[in-house]
Amino acid sequence: IRESATLTRDVLEQHFNDLKGTLKKLLDERLMSLLQEVDTIEQESIKPLDECQKLIEHGVSTADDLLRDGESAVHGDVGQQNEKLCSFTKKALHIQLDSLPEVPSLVDVPCLSAQLDDCLLTILKNQIFRHGTVASRPPVQLEEFVEKPGGILVRWCKVDDDFIPQDYRLQYRKSTASHFEDVYVGSETEFIVLHIDPNVDYQFRVCARGDGRQEWSPWSVPQIGRTTLVPHEWTTGLEGYSLSSRRNIALRNDSQSCGVLYSKAPTYFCGQTLTFRQVLPGIETVGQPDRRDSLGVCVEQRNGCDSLQRDKAVCVSTNGAVFVNGKEMTNQLPAVTSGSTVTFDMEVVQLGPSSNEGGNFKLRVTISSNNREVVFDWVLDQCCVSLYFGCSFSYPGWKVLVF
């Protein structure tokens, strides 16, 4: 309770401090806009009046000069009087002293003022006092964490029967981080969070948005999850494939070199689910399929092979054919295309000295793709609970994520 109360106080203080800064910025921007409008009107309105004043002042100055010339001609010497009078007369004829520039009428002269509506404060006051709520009962809670290689499967559930959810929002952070970040928004009630460092605590929380609503519900009680399983990684150095920085995404490039790309180590254990897909939207291909293409698992790495369609391996071809120890099964899955997801689940069903098939170790294998699955027993001649995974594509453009 104390932790959530402290966090809520911090969120409220930060939010309202941000609002203060934003409101001040908006008010300053509006003030500058209005002041610029005053400046523009003043400059545009005063310009013709200034020009009129300059013309009048120039005319008065010219009349004063002419008056002084006339006085000088009248009071001057008799010998120069006729010459000065002629000069005065010529100048007087060329100066128009009987006209004035047009002066704008009083109704055309602007008179600026500011109109400020006091109701803004009332509106803001009403909105501010309705802004924000404090709730103590979130309608959804985190339910389960399932370890995945390099990830955590997070499940949550609704705890308020009267609440009708439309979307969920899942956030997480490292326990050493200060801020949560969104990792999923959607209608599902579970999500696999990838790129999780093993043996590191992460905090998770979830909230929901009611049907037809825009605002999110209160957050659930934060809970800690972790995984002890190292992430799946493709092995580096195979010329025909380019890998992502985390080495969990492989892209078949334009190289003419071919072969099987294996995992770095046998990190797939019986009892887990192995998934092949691209982050969004699934396994994506821009190239053409080939009957030798394969996605699957094997007991050991074997260099020199161009496909997983061999002994001690089970795989799916891009045309949906399932191969067990190099033999094609009669059951078939949908073709692997853009948006497909292929999963492998295995469990030990027999440990013993022998079996009718001649092996002494049997795994129950379930391969699923596009809402269809095949189930069969994989007989091996040795005990094997950790396996390599691999893929092989003949043409460029295939891009596959494994987790």
Side-chain angles (χ1 to χ4, degrees):
I1 293 174
R2 288 193 178 97
E3 182 180 352
S4 63
T6 300
L7 179 61
T8 301
R9 290 189 192 98
D10 293 341
V11 169
L12 288 172
E13 290 175 357
Q14 183 64 45
H15 177 74
F16 277 86
N17 285 333
D18 292 343
L19 278 181
K20 289 177 186 177
T22 303
L23 285 174
K24 184 180 183 306
K25 181 180 178 182
L26 292 174
L27 289 172
D28 289 343
E29 289 178 354
R30 181 56 179 164
L31 174 60
M32 290 302 299
S33 175
L34 292 173
L35 291 175
Q36 289 175 1
E37 189 175 343
V38 172
D39 292 342
T40 301
I41 295 174
E42 180 185 25
Q43 292 170 5
E44 292 178 350
S45 302
I46 206 70
K47 184 178 180 180
L49 295 176
D50 285 341
E51 292 175 351
C52 181
Q53 182 178 359
K54 289 177 181 179
L55 288 173
I56 293 174
E57 290 175 349
H58 177 70
V60 171
S61 175
T62 302
D64 287 341
D65 292 341
L66 184 63
L67 180 61
R68 285 190 294 270
D69 290 346
E71 290 176 347
S72 176
V74 171
H75 299 294
D77 296 334
V78 177
Q80 297 178 347
Q81 196 172 33
N82 289 335
E83 183 181 347
K84 289 184 177 181
L85 285 173
C86 290
S87 175
F88 170 79
T89 303
K90 289 180 181 180
K91 186 181 289 187
L93 291 174
H94 287 87
I95 297 175
Q96 295 181 351
L97 297 177
D98 58 346
S99 64
L100 289 172
E102 182 179 359
V103 179
S105 62
L106 189 60
V107 295
D108 294 330
V109 178
C111 179
L112 280 73
S113 62
Q115 284 73 49
L116 301 173
D117 192 350
D118 292 336
C119 71
L120 175 63
L121 292 176
T122 303
I123 295 173
L124 286 176
K125 181 179 178 181
N126 292 334
Q127 291 294 327
I128 288 172
F129 279 101
R130 288 200 301 265
H131 181 68
T133 58
V134 176
S136 60
R137 302 294 179 185
V140 291
Q141 292 286 2
L142 295 169
E143 184 179 31
E144 184 181 16
F145 297 104
V146 180
E147 293 185 61
K148 296 289 183 179
I152 300 175
L153 172 62
V154 184
R155 292 193 176 103
W156 55 89
C157 63
K158 186 179 71 165
V159 294
D160 184 352
D161 294 335
D162 297 328
F163 183 79
I164 302 176
Q166 174 180 300
D167 291 307
Y168 297 99
R169 181 182 179 187
L170 178 67
Q171 290 189 335
Y172 84 125
R173 69 177 180 185
K174 274 188 178 182
S175 294
T176 55
S178 56
H179 297 291
F180 283 91
E181 59 181 273
D182 287 340
V183 68
Y184 172 76
V185 176
S187 59
E188 301 295 328
T189 56
E190 65 177 38
F191 183 76
I192 297 179
V193 183
L194 298 176
H195 305 157
I196 295 293
D197 295 329
N199 301 308
V200 174
D201 287 341
Y202 287 81
Q203 269 195 330
F204 295 86
R205 65 182 185 181
V206 67
C207 65
R209 181 162 51 195
D211 190 19
R213 305 294 295 270
Q214 293 297 321
E215 68 277 6
W216 292 99
S217 74
W219 290 105
S220 65
V221 177
Q223 295 190 39
I224 293 177
R226 65 157 46 197
T227 181
T228 59
L229 305 176
V230 297
H232 292 317
E233 294 183 9
W234 299 104
T235 189
T236 59
L238 190 60
E239 184 178 348
Y241 294 87
S242 304
L243 306 183
S244 64
S245 59
R246 290 182 175 267
R247 296 183 292 279
N248 58 345
I249 299 176
L251 171 66
R252 181 66 168 94
N253 56 36
D254 296 332
S255 172
Q256 297 298 318
S257 175
C258 61
V260 178
L261 177 66
Y262 293 101
S263 58
K264 181 180 178 181
T267 53
Y268 174 57
F269 293 86
C270 294
Q272 298 178 357
T273 297
L274 179 70
T275 304
F276 294 98
R277 77 175 185 205
Q278 190 186 11
V279 180
L280 286 173
I283 295 176
E284 182 179 345
T285 175
V286 293
Q288 55 182 334
D290 186 273
R291 64 179 185 84
R292 296 168 297 172
D293 294 344
S294 53
L295 289 165
V297 296
C298 57
V299 174
E300 59 191 9
Q301 295 180 340
R302 189 178 297 177
N303 297 324
C305 297
D306 62 355
S307 174
L308 280 175
Q309 299 169 17
R310 57 172 177 81
D311 63 326
K312 295 186 178 181
V314 294
C315 64
V316 179
S317 176
T318 48
N319 63 9
V322 179
F323 291 84
V324 182
N325 291 332
K327 297 180 180 180
E328 184 176 354
M329 296 182 60
T330 56
N331 294 337
Q332 187 162 332
L333 292 169
V336 178
T337 59
S338 177
S340 295
T341 298
V342 180
T343 62
F344 287 76
D345 291 276
M346 298 187 186
E347 60 177 339
V348 179
V349 294
Q350 180 176 322
L351 287 170
S354 62
S355 67
N356 294 333
E357 292 84 355
N360 58 6
F361 189 72
K362 183 184 295 185
L363 296 176
R364 180 73 41 83
V365 181
T366 303
I367 307 177
S368 303
S369 176
N370 293 348
N371 297 320
R372 289 182 58 185
E373 64 179 31
V374 294
V375 182
F376 56 89
D377 289 338
W378 183 20
V379 179
L380 298 170
D381 57 5
Q382 64 188 78
C383 180
C384 190
V385 293
S386 64
L387 300 165
Y388 291 89
F389 56 85
C391 69
S392 63
F393 299 103
S394 300
Y395 297 98
W398 292 87
K399 187 177 183 181
V400 58
L401 162 73
V402 61
F403 63 91

